[in-house]
Amino acid sequence: MSNILKAFINTINSYQSNVSTLTNGNNRANNMGAGLEEFIKDIFAGTINETNEQNRLATFSQTYSYSGNKNNPPDLILANSDAIEIKKLESHNTAIALNSSYPKAKLFSNSSMITTACRNCEENWTVKDMLYVIGNAPKNTNNLKSLWFVYGDCFCADKEVYEKIKDTISTGIKAIPNVEFTDSKELGKVKKVDPLGITDLRIRGMWHIENPTKIFNYLYSYDETKSFQLICLMKKEKYESMPLADRQILENLNNPNVSVSDVRIKNPNNPVQLMDGKLLVFRKL
């Protein structure tokens, strides 16, 4: 079964700075965002150097239980493990656009934002850890300059915090006289706005969250001089839940470009409280 430590090690062992090269040729990716997603699929599946497409797809079917689309989170689900959301940015400090999906500390099977296929991808799952993968590829280049792997429970508040905002907006709209409000997967829909009843108004949330480079600047300083940097952040309890064999491989790499550190992370629900975390860094000159 794959996990974030395997992906971290696979990236180190097979590192190249060009995303299209890492995805086994330019013809696989129609654009940079697609190229990054294919790269992420490969590093978790261990198929970066797989040249036989049938073998690659067979490995994917064993590694993942779900592969999604751009309109519904998540992008991937590791079989019986984490959900993964992939975001490609042109700057290392740009805010992340989550569109109509608010930030998620966890992914719940009863979420209205996920598809039926996602909900049914595994038997009897109710909640999954949410891993955000944020890649920085500057405009007009194929160079992947940095990559963040950070779990949602390290920087996203509990779902009630975001749903309270959504519900308050919906309640306020319902209070407008003579408005026909319809619940939807978005914030809502107001029907028959005008006297003829021919105009509808869709109300859609556009959620953004700060880049991890800014959020966690008290833990890690982005180094402009490096050709590539990979940063992984998770709670210590998550790290310790990983297979011992994978942790030992990581901790015994003896690579001067790799560091494994104990850190203290601000609690997203109460920032004056600190949580035990693990920070993994790979920096390439």
Side-chain angles (χ1 to χ4, degrees):
M1 188 167 66
S2 186
N3 58 56
I4 189 174
L5 301 188
K6 283 186 168 70
F8 186 86
I9 294 165
N10 286 340
T11 304
I12 294 170
N13 291 339
S14 305
Y15 172 74
Q16 298 174 63
S17 62
N18 186 291
V19 173
S20 295
T21 301
L22 280 167
T23 53
N24 295 340
N26 294 329
N27 61 339
R28 186 178 294 170
N30 294 322
N31 57 61
M32 192 63 197
L36 178 62
E37 186 166 329
E38 292 300 312
F39 169 45
I40 299 305
K41 284 182 183 178
D42 282 329
I43 62 172
F44 275 94
T47 52
I48 288 176
N49 297 314
E50 177 59 69
T51 56
N52 185 302
E53 187 65 9
Q54 285 295 309
N55 291 342
R56 179 174 177 264
L57 294 176
T59 303
F60 282 1
S61 70
Q62 296 171 354
T63 305
Y64 304 104
S65 61
Y66 176 76
S67 178
N69 57 56
K70 293 181 179 179
N71 298 322
N72 301 89
D75 291 310
L76 295 167
I77 293 180
L78 293 169
N80 300 306
S81 187
D82 302 333
I84 303 172
E85 183 72 5
I86 303 166
K87 296 294 181 182
K88 177 257 176 181
L89 305 173
E90 293 179 352
S91 169
H92 69 270
N93 56 13
T94 303
I96 302 163
L98 301 174
N99 298 324
S100 57
S101 178
Y102 58 75
K104 291 178 172 56
K106 305 281 185 180
L107 183 73
F108 293 90
S109 60
N110 61 359
S111 169
S112 63
M113 297 302 297
I114 67 173
T115 64
T116 300
C118 178
R119 190 172 290 111
N120 297 331
C121 70
E122 295 173 9
E123 290 186 8
N124 302 321
W125 76 273
T126 56
V127 60
K128 288 183 175 289
D129 289 341
M130 191 77 178
L131 176 63
Y132 285 89
V133 176
I134 300 102
N136 164 30
K139 192 173 183 178
N140 300 322
T141 76
N142 279 332
N143 292 327
L144 184 63
K145 295 287 292 180
S146 67
L147 196 59
W148 271 90
F149 290 167
V150 55
Y151 279 94
D153 59 6
C154 292
F155 70 113
C156 303
D158 291 340
K159 64 178 182 175
E160 290 79 11
V161 172
Y162 308 105
E163 290 182 348
K164 179 181 178 182
I165 300 295
K166 177 181 182 295
D167 293 343
T168 301
I169 292 171
S170 299
T171 301
I173 294 168
K174 290 177 182 177
I176 300 172
N178 303 316
V179 160
E180 184 178 326
F181 181 83
T182 303
D183 288 323
S184 73
K185 290 182 179 180
E186 299 175 347
L187 292 179
K189 187 175 185 179
V190 180
K191 303 187 73 175
K192 301 179 181 179
V193 172
D194 49 14
L196 286 177
I198 58 175
T199 305
D200 297 343
L201 172 66
R202 284 179 60 192
I203 305 159
R204 184 183 184 191
M206 293 296 287
W207 298 87
H208 285 75
I209 195 165
E210 286 286 7
N211 193 292
T213 302
K214 286 188 175 181
I215 299 170
F216 300 108
N217 60 7
Y218 63 96
L219 297 177
Y220 179 79
S221 296
Y222 186 88
D223 191 341
E224 297 276 4
T225 68
K226 304 298 182 184
S227 63
F228 176 73
Q229 44 207 308
L230 169 63
I231 310 101
C232 300
L233 183 64
M234 68 196 83
K235 287 183 177 179
K236 190 173 183 179
E237 63 191 71
K238 178 67 176 181
Y239 180 80
E240 292 178 344
S241 74
M242 300 288 173
L244 178 60
D246 292 335
R247 284 183 279 146
Q248 288 177 334
I249 291 171
L250 175 64
E251 292 166 6
N252 294 315
L253 282 176
N254 294 320
N255 186 327
N257 297 320
V258 175
S259 64
V260 180
S261 309
D262 290 317
V263 293
R264 300 275 278 166
I265 309 166
K266 295 177 184 176
N267 185 330
N269 295 293
N270 183 1
V272 296
Q273 292 182 349
L274 298 178
M275 309 181 300
D276 290 327
K278 209 77 174 181
L279 180 68
L280 319 177
V281 177
F282 167 62
R283 292 192 285 193
K284 187 75 171 177
L285 294 175

